[in-house]
Amino acid sequence: MATKVQRRVTSADVAREAGVARSTVSYVLNRTPHQTIPDTTRQRVLDAAARLGYMPSAAARTLTRGRSDVVLCILRPWPLGSAAGALLAELTAAFGRQGLTLVTHIEDPSVRSLDNVWNEISPAAVLSYQPVDPEAERAMRAFGVQSVAVLFADHDGRAQVVRLDSRIGRMQAEHLIGAGHSRIGYAYPEFPSLQDFARPRLEGARAACSDAGLASPDVRTVALDAASAAAAIEHWRSLPLPVTGVCAYNDEVAQALIAGARLARVDIPGELAVIGADDIPAAALTYPPLTTIAIDHVAEARRIVETVTAAVAGDEPPAVADAADLFTIVTRESA
Amino acid sequence: MATKVQRRVTSADVAREAGVARSTVSYVLNRTPHQTIPDTTRQRVLDAAARLGYMPSAAARTLTRGRSDVVLCILRPWPLGSAAGALLAELTAAFGRQGLTLVTHIEDPSVRSLDNVWNEISPAAVLSYQPVDPEAERAMRAFGVQSVAVLFADHDGRAQVVRLDSRIGRMQAEHLIGAGHSRIGYAYPEFPSLQDFARPRLEGARAACSDAGLASPDVRTVALDAASAAAAIEHWRSLPLPVTGVCAYNDEVAQALIAGARLARVDIPGELAVIGADDIPAAALTYPPLTTIAIDHVAEARRIVETVTAAVAGDEPPAVADAADLFTIVTRESA
DNA sequence: CTGTTAGCGCTTTCAA
DNA sequence: TTGAAAGCGCTAACAG
C-alpha cells in the first residue's frame, strides 16, 4: 500500500511520452530559431506535455541560461502612495503579457545588500526608482542582467531613463503663471528618500519660472502636518514680494498645504493658489478640491515595458518619445 | 592581447584555492548540522572565499534544494495605500534579517496565472493578502513551498492567519458606542478586490453592536467621491432611527465621507461622527482631522516573520498572540 | 572529518 | 531533423 510519490514532471518524461529526445522537447517548447521541426513531431510533443501537465522548471532554466524571466523593480522604503501602486499594477500586467514576471523589492541597504537580492532572483532586467550606483550596475550586467533602467531621473549616463518628472514641475508652474501668478513657491517633501523624485520636479518648476522671466520658486520643505505647512505659508506671505501660487511636490504635500492654510487662516485659492501632482483619489476629496497633474500610468507602463523588453531581447531600444503626453492637468478649485 | 573573460567564481574555485573538496566548502558556508569541521579548515575556506569574492549562486542552490530563499507576497491590483506600503517595508526588513528576501507581485489572473509566478520564483513561503484557493495551495506545497500564510482573514482552514482585522471594526464601533451613539453605520468600500479586507472589519463592527445590544450597523457602499458619500449620509440620516456614528472601512473612505458631509451640509462630528482606520498621514490633514485606528506595523511584521520563518525551518509556529495590541485608537476631532 | 559521486532539470553544441 | 552528451553550480548521501 505504498503511496505513490509525486515526482515532478520533467522534460524527460515528456520526451519519453512523445517518443523523442529531450532536446527535441526543448526545441519545440522554446520555438528555437533555426531548428525546423516537422509538424507531426511538434504536435506529438505538445500533446504529451499537455497530457502530463508539464511545467518547465524555471529554476533549472535560470541556472542554464544564467538569468530568469523575472524583472526586478527596486523601491526604497518611502511612503508608497496610490500613484506608485497604480503604476506598479500596470507595469506588472504589461510585463506579464510579454512573459516576464515583475516583482518588487523594497531595498533597505542597512538590512540586506542589493547584491544579495539580484543574486537571489537572477533577474532579466532591473528597474530602479532611483539612480543606480555605476559600480553596482556594472556588477549586475556582468552577472547577466540584460537591462538596468532608471525610472524618474532627469538625466543619467548609461542607464535608461524613462520618465521625465521635470515635465510635471514645469506644467505646475506654467499653470500658475498662466493664471497670473508672478511669484511662485515650491513645497518640497520632507522625507529623505523622496529627494530623487522631488529634485526633477522642482527643476521643472524652476525652468518654467526662468522661461517666463520670473524669479526662481521659493522652496520650503513641508512635512505632512498642518503646522509645518502653516509655517511655510506664513513665510511665503511675509516675503517682500509674496508668493501667491505654490507647486506642491505631490498631492499629499498639497493636502498638508490645504490643512496649513486653514490653520493660518489663508484662503485657497483666493489668497494662495495650490497645485498638486499625481492625481491621487484623495485629491478630489479635499476642500477645496485640488488642481493637480494626472499621470497616464497605462501609457507610461507600456513605454517602460517596450524599452525593457527590447533590451532583454537584445534589440535596440525604441526611440524615446517625448514624455509630455503622459501628463494632463486636472483643474479643480484650488488653483 | 586577448581580454580575460570574467568567469563566475564558483565553489570549485574556492575549494581549489583552499585546498579542500567542494563539499567541504558547502558544509562550511552552510554551517551544515552534524558536520563538524576543524577550525583551521573552516578558516581556510572562509579566507579563500573572501579572497575570491565568492558569492554562491542562488539559482543553483534553488535547483538542488527545490526552493529559493525568497518569500513571495501576493497582492491584488488595487489596494496599495500607504498602510500597505508601510507594512511591506517592515516585512521586507524583518525577513531580510532572517536571510530571506521578500518580493511582492501584483497578481492579475487575467494576465498571468499564479502558477507561473511561483514556478518562476520557487519561493520558500508565500504570503497572500487574500484567501488562497485550496487547490493552488496544495499545488504550491507539493512544489516545495514551505509555508502559505494568509494575512488578513478572519478564519481559514489550513492556511495560517496572522492579523485579525475584525478587531479594527470592533474597536471603531466600540468607540462610537462608548461616545453614546446607539445607531451605527458602516461605510463599505466599493472596489471589488478590497472585499476580502473589508468583510472582517465589518464583522467586527457587527459583533460590537450585537454585544452592546444594538442593531447591526447599517451598511452602505461608499465610492471615493463626495457625491457617493453624500448619498450614503443622506440615507443614514433619513432612517427612522438615524445613524449618528459611522465606521469607515479605512481612512480614504472616511475622507470621502468628510467630503460628502460638506456637500450634504452635515456637520462632523456634531451631526455625524466618523471614524477611520489605518491612520494614514492624510488622516491628520483632513478637516476635521480624523479619529482612526492606528496599526503597529513593526510589531505586526515581527509576528508574521516569526510565524513564517518557523514554518520555513520546519518548526512549530509560535503561539499566535492576541492581535489586540497591534491596534490603537487615535482620537482626533471627527468622533 | 574529508572527499567522491550522483543528481537537480534544462539548454545547446555537435554528430549522426 | 533528431539524439547523445556535456555542462550550469550547488547539495547531500555515502565511503573512506
mmCIF file with all atom_site columns, all heavy atoms in Angstrom, chain B residues 142-161:
data_model
loop_
_atom_site.group_PDB
_atom_site.id
_atom_site.type_symbol
_atom_site.label_atom_id
_atom_site.label_alt_id
_atom_site.label_comp_id
_atom_site.label_asym_id
_atom_site.label_entity_id
_atom_site.label_seq_id
_atom_site.pdbx_PDB_ins_code
_atom_site.Cartn_x
_atom_site.Cartn_y
_atom_site.Cartn_z
_atom_site.occupancy
_atom_site.B_iso_or_equiv
_atom_site.pdbx_formal_charge
_atom_site.auth_seq_id
_atom_site.auth_comp_id
_atom_site.auth_asym_id
_atom_site.auth_atom_id
_atom_site.pdbx_PDB_model_num
ATOM 1   N N   . ALA B 1 142 ? 3.140   21.013 -2.717 1.00 0.00 ? 142 ALA B N   1
ATOM 2   C CA  . ALA B 1 142 ? 3.742   19.879 -3.409 1.00 0.00 ? 142 ALA B CA  1
ATOM 3   C C   . ALA B 1 142 ? 4.989   20.339 -4.140 1.00 0.00 ? 142 ALA B C   1
ATOM 4   O O   . ALA B 1 142 ? 5.965   19.604 -4.285 1.00 0.00 ? 142 ALA B O   1
ATOM 5   C CB  . ALA B 1 142 ? 2.741   19.287 -4.403 1.00 0.00 ? 142 ALA B CB  1
ATOM 6   N N   . PHE B 1 143 ? 4.969   21.572 -4.549 1.00 0.00 ? 143 PHE B N   1
ATOM 7   C CA  . PHE B 1 143 ? 6.055   22.115 -5.340 1.00 0.00 ? 143 PHE B CA  1
ATOM 8   C C   . PHE B 1 143 ? 7.253   22.477 -4.464 1.00 0.00 ? 143 PHE B C   1
ATOM 9   O O   . PHE B 1 143 ? 8.362   22.681 -4.945 1.00 0.00 ? 143 PHE B O   1
ATOM 10  C CB  . PHE B 1 143 ? 5.541   23.350 -6.064 1.00 0.00 ? 143 PHE B CB  1
ATOM 11  C CG  . PHE B 1 143 ? 6.535   24.017 -6.934 1.00 0.00 ? 143 PHE B CG  1
ATOM 12  C CD1 . PHE B 1 143 ? 6.811   23.506 -8.198 1.00 0.00 ? 143 PHE B CD1 1
ATOM 13  C CD2 . PHE B 1 143 ? 7.203   25.149 -6.510 1.00 0.00 ? 143 PHE B CD2 1
ATOM 14  C CE1 . PHE B 1 143 ? 7.731   24.131 -9.013 1.00 0.00 ? 143 PHE B CE1 1
ATOM 15  C CE2 . PHE B 1 143 ? 8.121   25.770 -7.331 1.00 0.00 ? 143 PHE B CE2 1
ATOM 16  C CZ  . PHE B 1 143 ? 8.388   25.257 -8.584 1.00 0.00 ? 143 PHE B CZ  1
ATOM 17  N N   . GLY B 1 144 ? 7.057   22.582 -3.160 1.00 0.00 ? 144 GLY B N   1
ATOM 18  C CA  . GLY B 1 144 ? 8.190   22.887 -2.287 1.00 0.00 ? 144 GLY B CA  1
ATOM 19  C C   . GLY B 1 144 ? 8.016   24.130 -1.440 1.00 0.00 ? 144 GLY B C   1
ATOM 20  O O   . GLY B 1 144 ? 8.868   24.456 -0.629 1.00 0.00 ? 144 GLY B O   1
ATOM 21  N N   . VAL B 1 145 ? 6.915   24.820 -1.624 1.00 0.00 ? 145 VAL B N   1
ATOM 22  C CA  . VAL B 1 145 ? 6.683   25.993 -0.800 1.00 0.00 ? 145 VAL B CA  1
ATOM 23  C C   . VAL B 1 145 ? 6.409   25.523 0.628  1.00 0.00 ? 145 VAL B C   1
ATOM 24  O O   . VAL B 1 145 ? 5.549   24.683 0.853  1.00 0.00 ? 145 VAL B O   1
ATOM 25  C CB  . VAL B 1 145 ? 5.492   26.806 -1.340 1.00 0.00 ? 145 VAL B CB  1
ATOM 26  C CG1 . VAL B 1 145 ? 5.205   27.992 -0.447 1.00 0.00 ? 145 VAL B CG1 1
ATOM 27  C CG2 . VAL B 1 145 ? 5.769   27.249 -2.764 1.00 0.00 ? 145 VAL B CG2 1
ATOM 28  N N   . GLN B 1 146 ? 7.168   26.031 1.574  1.00 0.00 ? 146 GLN B N   1
ATOM 29  C CA  . GLN B 1 146 ? 7.106   25.534 2.941  1.00 0.00 ? 146 GLN B CA  1
ATOM 30  C C   . GLN B 1 146 ? 5.926   26.099 3.706  1.00 0.00 ? 146 GLN B C   1
ATOM 31  O O   . GLN B 1 146 ? 5.466   25.509 4.658  1.00 0.00 ? 146 GLN B O   1
ATOM 32  C CB  . GLN B 1 146 ? 8.366   25.947 3.713  1.00 0.00 ? 146 GLN B CB  1
ATOM 33  C CG  . GLN B 1 146 ? 9.641   25.516 3.046  1.00 0.00 ? 146 GLN B CG  1
ATOM 34  C CD  . GLN B 1 146 ? 9.837   24.039 3.185  1.00 0.00 ? 146 GLN B CD  1
ATOM 35  O OE1 . GLN B 1 146 ? 9.869   23.534 4.290  1.00 0.00 ? 146 GLN B OE1 1
ATOM 36  N NE2 . GLN B 1 146 ? 9.937   23.346 2.071  1.00 0.00 ? 146 GLN B NE2 1
ATOM 37  N N   . SER B 1 147 ? 5.520   27.265 3.331  1.00 0.00 ? 147 SER B N   1
ATOM 38  C CA  . SER B 1 147 ? 4.540   27.939 4.167  1.00 0.00 ? 147 SER B CA  1
ATOM 39  C C   . SER B 1 147 ? 3.665   28.814 3.290  1.00 0.00 ? 147 SER B C   1
ATOM 40  O O   . SER B 1 147 ? 4.151   29.543 2.432  1.00 0.00 ? 147 SER B O   1
ATOM 41  C CB  . SER B 1 147 ? 5.269   28.803 5.196  1.00 0.00 ? 147 SER B CB  1
ATOM 42  O OG  . SER B 1 147 ? 4.419   29.793 5.703  1.00 0.00 ? 147 SER B OG  1
ATOM 43  N N   . VAL B 1 148 ? 2.397   28.711 3.491  1.00 0.00 ? 148 VAL B N   1
ATOM 44  C CA  . VAL B 1 148 ? 1.464   29.575 2.782  1.00 0.00 ? 148 VAL B CA  1
ATOM 45  C C   . VAL B 1 148 ? 0.677   30.304 3.851  1.00 0.00 ? 148 VAL B C   1
ATOM 46  O O   . VAL B 1 148 ? -0.059  29.690 4.611  1.00 0.00 ? 148 VAL B O   1
ATOM 47  C CB  . VAL B 1 148 ? 0.514   28.768 1.882  1.00 0.00 ? 148 VAL B CB  1
ATOM 48  C CG1 . VAL B 1 148 ? -0.488  29.693 1.223  1.00 0.00 ? 148 VAL B CG1 1
ATOM 49  C CG2 . VAL B 1 148 ? 1.300   27.999 0.837  1.00 0.00 ? 148 VAL B CG2 1
ATOM 50  N N   . ALA B 1 149 ? 0.885   31.578 3.950  1.00 0.00 ? 149 ALA B N   1
ATOM 51  C CA  . ALA B 1 149 ? 0.235   32.329 5.006  1.00 0.00 ? 149 ALA B CA  1
ATOM 52  C C   . ALA B 1 149 ? -0.731  33.321 4.417  1.00 0.00 ? 149 ALA B C   1
ATOM 53  O O   . ALA B 1 149 ? -0.415  34.024 3.465  1.00 0.00 ? 149 ALA B O   1
ATOM 54  C CB  . ALA B 1 149 ? 1.267   33.060 5.857  1.00 0.00 ? 149 ALA B CB  1
ATOM 55  N N   . VAL B 1 150 ? -1.896  33.365 4.979  1.00 0.00 ? 150 VAL B N   1
ATOM 56  C CA  . VAL B 1 150 ? -2.881  34.342 4.550  1.00 0.00 ? 150 VAL B CA  1
ATOM 57  C C   . VAL B 1 150 ? -2.959  35.419 5.615  1.00 0.00 ? 150 VAL B C   1
ATOM 58  O O   . VAL B 1 150 ? -3.260  35.144 6.764  1.00 0.00 ? 150 VAL B O   1
ATOM 59  C CB  . VAL B 1 150 ? -4.252  33.693 4.361  1.00 0.00 ? 150 VAL B CB  1
ATOM 60  C CG1 . VAL B 1 150 ? -5.291  34.750 4.048  1.00 0.00 ? 150 VAL B CG1 1
ATOM 61  C CG2 . VAL B 1 150 ? -4.190  32.666 3.252  1.00 0.00 ? 150 VAL B CG2 1
ATOM 62  N N   . LEU B 1 151 ? -2.644  36.633 5.229  1.00 0.00 ? 151 LEU B N   1
ATOM 63  C CA  . LEU B 1 151 ? -2.770  37.735 6.156  1.00 0.00 ? 151 LEU B CA  1
ATOM 64  C C   . LEU B 1 151 ? -4.201  38.217 6.049  1.00 0.00 ? 151 LEU B C   1
ATOM 65  O O   . LEU B 1 151 ? -4.846  38.056 5.021  1.00 0.00 ? 151 LEU B O   1
ATOM 66  C CB  . LEU B 1 151 ? -1.815  38.847 5.744  1.00 0.00 ? 151 LEU B CB  1
ATOM 67  C CG  . LEU B 1 151 ? -0.429  38.377 5.327  1.00 0.00 ? 151 LEU B CG  1
ATOM 68  C CD1 . LEU B 1 151 ? 0.423   39.549 4.910  1.00 0.00 ? 151 LEU B CD1 1
ATOM 69  C CD2 . LEU B 1 151 ? 0.227   37.612 6.459  1.00 0.00 ? 151 LEU B CD2 1
ATOM 70  N N   . PHE B 1 152 ? -4.703  38.811 7.091  1.00 0.00 ? 152 PHE B N   1
ATOM 71  C CA  . PHE B 1 152 ? -5.995  39.470 6.989  1.00 0.00 ? 152 PHE B CA  1
ATOM 72  C C   . PHE B 1 152 ? -7.135  38.570 6.582  1.00 0.00 ? 152 PHE B C   1
ATOM 73  O O   . PHE B 1 152 ? -7.640  38.662 5.470  1.00 0.00 ? 152 PHE B O   1
ATOM 74  C CB  . PHE B 1 152 ? -5.938  40.607 5.967  1.00 0.00 ? 152 PHE B CB  1
ATOM 75  C CG  . PHE B 1 152 ? -4.687  41.374 6.053  1.00 0.00 ? 152 PHE B CG  1
ATOM 76  C CD1 . PHE B 1 152 ? -3.799  41.374 5.014  1.00 0.00 ? 152 PHE B CD1 1
ATOM 77  C CD2 . PHE B 1 152 ? -4.382  42.058 7.210  1.00 0.00 ? 152 PHE B CD2 1
ATOM 78  C CE1 . PHE B 1 152 ? -2.631  42.077 5.107  1.00 0.00 ? 152 PHE B CE1 1
ATOM 79  C CE2 . PHE B 1 152 ? -3.208  42.761 7.303  1.00 0.00 ? 152 PHE B CE2 1
ATOM 80  C CZ  . PHE B 1 152 ? -2.331  42.769 6.244  1.00 0.00 ? 152 PHE B CZ  1
ATOM 81  N N   . ALA B 1 153 ? -7.478  37.656 7.390  1.00 0.00 ? 153 ALA B N   1
ATOM 82  C CA  . ALA B 1 153 ? -8.714  36.930 7.179  1.00 0.00 ? 153 ALA B CA  1
ATOM 83  C C   . ALA B 1 153 ? -9.203  36.586 8.567  1.00 0.00 ? 153 ALA B C   1
ATOM 84  O O   . ALA B 1 153 ? -8.449  36.608 9.524  1.00 0.00 ? 153 ALA B O   1
ATOM 85  C CB  . ALA B 1 153 ? -8.485  35.675 6.366  1.00 0.00 ? 153 ALA B CB  1
ATOM 86  N N   . ASP B 1 154 ? -10.468 36.273 8.661  1.00 0.00 ? 154 ASP B N   1
ATOM 87  C CA  . ASP B 1 154 ? -10.959 36.022 9.995  1.00 0.00 ? 154 ASP B CA  1
ATOM 88  C C   . ASP B 1 154 ? -10.734 34.584 10.411 1.00 0.00 ? 154 ASP B C   1
ATOM 89  O O   . ASP B 1 154 ? -10.528 34.262 11.560 1.00 0.00 ? 154 ASP B O   1
ATOM 90  C CB  . ASP B 1 154 ? -12.428 36.393 10.096 1.00 0.00 ? 154 ASP B CB  1
ATOM 91  C CG  . ASP B 1 154 ? -12.588 37.580 11.005 1.00 0.00 ? 154 ASP B CG  1
ATOM 92  O OD1 . ASP B 1 154 ? -11.556 38.063 11.479 1.00 0.00 ? 154 ASP B OD1 1
ATOM 93  O OD2 . ASP B 1 154 ? -13.719 38.009 11.238 1.00 0.00 ? 154 ASP B OD2 1
ATOM 94  N N   . HIS B 1 155 ? -10.788 33.717 9.460  1.00 0.00 ? 155 HIS B N   1
ATOM 95  C CA  . HIS B 1 155 ? -10.599 32.320 9.788  1.00 0.00 ? 155 HIS B CA  1
ATOM 96  C C   . HIS B 1 155 ? -10.315 31.625 8.483  1.00 0.00 ? 155 HIS B C   1
ATOM 97  O O   . HIS B 1 155 ? -10.649 32.109 7.412  1.00 0.00 ? 155 HIS B O   1
ATOM 98  C CB  . HIS B 1 155 ? -11.866 31.761 10.416 1.00 0.00 ? 155 HIS B CB  1
ATOM 99  C CG  . HIS B 1 155 ? -13.068 32.119 9.627  1.00 0.00 ? 155 HIS B CG  1
ATOM 100 N ND1 . HIS B 1 155 ? -13.877 33.168 9.972  1.00 0.00 ? 155 HIS B ND1 1
ATOM 101 C CD2 . HIS B 1 155 ? -13.566 31.620 8.475  1.00 0.00 ? 155 HIS B CD2 1
ATOM 102 C CE1 . HIS B 1 155 ? -14.841 33.283 9.066  1.00 0.00 ? 155 HIS B CE1 1
ATOM 103 N NE2 . HIS B 1 155 ? -14.660 32.357 8.140  1.00 0.00 ? 155 HIS B NE2 1
ATOM 104 N N   . ASP B 1 156 ? -9.736  30.471 8.555  1.00 0.00 ? 156 ASP B N   1
ATOM 105 C CA  . ASP B 1 156 ? -9.370  29.769 7.334  1.00 0.00 ? 156 ASP B CA  1
ATOM 106 C C   . ASP B 1 156 ? -8.952  28.380 7.736  1.00 0.00 ? 156 ASP B C   1
ATOM 107 O O   . ASP B 1 156 ? -8.453  28.152 8.819  1.00 0.00 ? 156 ASP B O   1
ATOM 108 C CB  . ASP B 1 156 ? -8.220  30.500 6.656  1.00 0.00 ? 156 ASP B CB  1
ATOM 109 C CG  . ASP B 1 156 ? -7.901  29.900 5.310  1.00 0.00 ? 156 ASP B CG  1
ATOM 110 O OD1 . ASP B 1 156 ? -7.475  28.740 5.270  1.00 0.00 ? 156 ASP B OD1 1
ATOM 111 O OD2 . ASP B 1 156 ? -8.088  30.585 4.314  1.00 0.00 ? 156 ASP B OD2 1
ATOM 112 N N   . GLY B 1 157 ? -9.157  27.468 6.847  1.00 0.00 ? 157 GLY B N   1
ATOM 113 C CA  . GLY B 1 157 ? -8.813  26.097 7.173  1.00 0.00 ? 157 GLY B CA  1
ATOM 114 C C   . GLY B 1 157 ? -7.349  25.919 7.474  1.00 0.00 ? 157 GLY B C   1
ATOM 115 O O   . GLY B 1 157 ? -6.884  26.175 8.575  1.00 0.00 ? 157 GLY B O   1
ATOM 116 N N   . ARG B 1 158 ? -6.592  25.536 6.493  1.00 0.00 ? 158 ARG B N   1
ATOM 117 C CA  . ARG B 1 158 ? -5.219  25.129 6.754  1.00 0.00 ? 158 ARG B CA  1
ATOM 118 C C   . ARG B 1 158 ? -4.221  26.271 6.729  1.00 0.00 ? 158 ARG B C   1
ATOM 119 O O   . ARG B 1 158 ? -3.183  26.185 7.344  1.00 0.00 ? 158 ARG B O   1
ATOM 120 C CB  . ARG B 1 158 ? -4.833  24.012 5.775  1.00 0.00 ? 158 ARG B CB  1
ATOM 121 C CG  . ARG B 1 158 ? -3.998  24.381 4.609  1.00 0.00 ? 158 ARG B CG  1
ATOM 122 C CD  . ARG B 1 158 ? -4.414  23.634 3.374  1.00 0.00 ? 158 ARG B CD  1
ATOM 123 N NE  . ARG B 1 158 ? -5.665  24.144 2.857  1.00 0.00 ? 158 ARG B NE  1
ATOM 124 C CZ  . ARG B 1 158 ? -6.801  23.473 2.754  1.00 0.00 ? 158 ARG B CZ  1
ATOM 125 N NH1 . ARG B 1 158 ? -6.871  22.231 3.092  1.00 0.00 ? 158 ARG B NH1 1
ATOM 126 N NH2 . ARG B 1 158 ? -7.882  24.059 2.275  1.00 0.00 ? 158 ARG B NH2 1
ATOM 127 N N   . ALA B 1 159 ? -4.521  27.319 5.991  1.00 0.00 ? 159 ALA B N   1
ATOM 128 C CA  . ALA B 1 159 ? -3.548  28.398 5.901  1.00 0.00 ? 159 ALA B CA  1
ATOM 129 C C   . ALA B 1 159 ? -3.454  29.147 7.227  1.00 0.00 ? 159 ALA B C   1
ATOM 130 O O   . ALA B 1 159 ? -4.399  29.191 8.002  1.00 0.00 ? 159 ALA B O   1
ATOM 131 C CB  . ALA B 1 159 ? -3.933  29.355 4.784  1.00 0.00 ? 159 ALA B CB  1
ATOM 132 N N   . GLN B 1 160 ? -2.315  29.719 7.462  1.00 0.00 ? 160 GLN B N   1
ATOM 133 C CA  . GLN B 1 160 ? -2.131  30.424 8.713  1.00 0.00 ? 160 GLN B CA  1
ATOM 134 C C   . GLN B 1 160 ? -2.643  31.840 8.598  1.00 0.00 ? 160 GLN B C   1
ATOM 135 O O   . GLN B 1 160 ? -2.426  32.515 7.621  1.00 0.00 ? 160 GLN B O   1
ATOM 136 C CB  . GLN B 1 160 ? -0.642  30.471 9.046  1.00 0.00 ? 160 GLN B CB  1
ATOM 137 C CG  . GLN B 1 160 ? -0.004  29.107 9.000  1.00 0.00 ? 160 GLN B CG  1
ATOM 138 C CD  . GLN B 1 160 ? 1.484   29.238 8.940  1.00 0.00 ? 160 GLN B CD  1
ATOM 139 O OE1 . GLN B 1 160 ? 2.058   30.043 9.649  1.00 0.00 ? 160 GLN B OE1 1
ATOM 140 N NE2 . GLN B 1 160 ? 2.105   28.454 8.077  1.00 0.00 ? 160 GLN B NE2 1
ATOM 141 N N   . VAL B 1 161 ? -3.264  32.253 9.623  1.00 0.00 ? 161 VAL B N   1
ATOM 142 C CA  . VAL B 1 161 ? -3.848  33.588 9.633  1.00 0.00 ? 161 VAL B CA  1
ATOM 143 C C   . VAL B 1 161 ? -3.082  34.431 10.628 1.00 0.00 ? 161 VAL B C   1
ATOM 144 O O   . VAL B 1 161 ? -2.797  33.992 11.728 1.00 0.00 ? 161 VAL B O   1
ATOM 145 C CB  . VAL B 1 161 ? -5.322  33.522 10.050 1.00 0.00 ? 161 VAL B CB  1
ATOM 146 C CG1 . VAL B 1 161 ? -5.873  34.917 10.217 1.00 0.00 ? 161 VAL B CG1 1
ATOM 147 C CG2 . VAL B 1 161 ? -6.106  32.745 9.021  1.00 0.00 ? 161 VAL B CG2 1
#
